[in-house]
Amino acid sequence: LTNLNNCTRYTRFMAQSSGNIGKKLIRIDVSADTVCPWCFVGKKNLDKAIASSNDQFDFEVRWHPYILNPSAPKEGVVKEKFYREKFGPQSERIEARMAEVFRGHGLDYDVLGLTGNSLESHRIINYAGRQALDKQHALVEEICLGYFTKGKYIGDREFLIEAAKKVGIEGAEEFLNDPKNGLQEVYADLEKYSGSISGVPYYVINGKRRLSGGQPPEVFLRTFQEAAKDN
């Protein structure tokens, strides 16, 4: 009986020990702007890579702000007109290319609605991250879907509140209604994570390995494997 009890305790200990070891944690810091279509494409590819490897790893994804055009008006400008003025004769070719890339993800890319200053979106994304990283990740998805495929304006507070509520962010309306809320945190995040980079999307994996651009899923997968070997 004593031997049996010892065996039972040993089995229980081994099971607990195995559970504590768990899977390797992959931390991903993403610098992105919500008006950058390649940032959304990069997110979709990152999501595919995570989904196909979460049997091997646990993931922690944090989103950080990057503002491509800090001087963009808060009231917004017609998106199509803005692209025509910015890219000139190349704008139609760029739009056609983005439409093709989005179709590959089952999405309709359009240039409807307004574009403008993205600060408001970064305020609520930062706020969401202080509640839960999975909610933050889901909020980035909702905001980008609205902006790139449904003609929603990135600076429309009502749109941002609706997106935040949809993914379970508490207190979103009260937070956004005070224009000072979250500004200090966003600017601190900009300086810490985006001050030394020149473009987005930009990924730092486990604090060491860096990727930029809308990388395909296989590049993320390979980087996960490499990062898992780091000390």
Side-chain angles (χ1 to χ4, degrees):
L1 181 61
T2 300
N3 288 340
L4 178 60
N5 286 339
N6 288 340
C7 182
T8 301
R9 284 196 295 269
Y10 175 78
T11 303
R12 187 181 301 120
F13 171 77
M14 288 302 293
Q16 291 171 344
S17 297
S18 298
N20 289 336
I21 294 173
K23 294 180 286 187
K24 182 87 174 187
L25 178 62
I26 303 294
R27 293 186 175 90
I28 306 170
D29 288 283
V30 188
S31 292
D33 197 355
T34 46
V35 295
C36 167
W38 284 109
C39 290
F40 189 33
V41 171
K43 180 190 180 298
K44 303 303 285 187
N45 289 337
L46 175 63
D47 286 344
K48 287 183 178 180
I50 288 174
S52 64
S53 57
N54 58 16
D55 60 330
Q56 303 175 58
F57 309 115
D58 287 324
F59 291 92
E60 181 182 283
V61 183
R62 291 180 183 271
W63 289 84
H64 306 287
Y66 188 95
I67 300 180
L68 287 165
N69 187 6
S71 62
K74 290 185 178 181
E75 63 272 17
V77 295
V78 176
K79 193 185 294 185
E80 189 171 14
K81 180 182 178 182
F82 173 80
Y83 289 156
R84 295 287 185 272
E85 292 176 352
K86 181 176 182 179
F87 299 112
Q90 298 184 61
S91 61
E92 291 186 11
R93 180 181 59 81
I94 293 171
E95 289 166 21
R97 171 59 178 153
M98 290 313 310
E100 179 185 2
V101 173
F102 271 58
R103 277 195 299 272
H105 292 280
L107 300 170
D108 293 323
Y109 176 79
D110 63 51
V111 290
L112 298 175
L114 304 176
T115 188
N117 199 292
S118 60
L119 179 60
E120 288 288 280
S121 67
H122 292 303
R123 282 208 299 138
I124 193 64
I125 289 170
N126 181 279
Y127 177 68
R130 285 180 262 156
Q131 291 193 14
L133 293 182
D134 59 336
K135 290 182 180 181
Q136 184 188 55
H137 197 70
L139 179 60
V140 172
E141 178 80 8
E142 283 297 320
I143 291 174
C144 288
L145 277 174
Y147 177 73
F148 291 113
T149 72
K150 300 176 183 177
K152 301 291 187 179
Y153 173 44
I154 203 69
D156 180 4
R157 196 165 292 175
E158 291 304 314
F159 160 57
L160 297 173
I161 291 169
E162 178 186 350
K165 288 181 177 179
K166 190 172 181 179
V167 301
I169 305 300
E170 298 177 3
E173 184 169 2
E174 294 80 3
F175 177 82
L176 282 178
N177 281 342
D178 185 342
K180 295 181 180 179
N181 281 340
L183 281 181
Q184 183 176 349
E185 290 82 359
V186 168
Y187 289 138
D189 229 17
L190 276 168
E191 182 177 353
K192 181 176 180 179
Y193 291 94
S194 302
S196 61
I197 64 176
S198 58
V200 286
Y202 191 83
Y203 313 87
V204 179
I205 300 174
N206 279 2
K208 295 182 179 180
R209 300 184 180 272
R210 289 163 169 76
L211 296 171
S212 60
Q215 297 290 346
E218 55 268 23
V219 172
F220 286 115
L221 289 169
R222 184 166 61 247
T223 308
F224 296 162
Q225 296 291 340
E226 294 169 350
K229 299 174 185 176
D230 294 337
N231 294 328

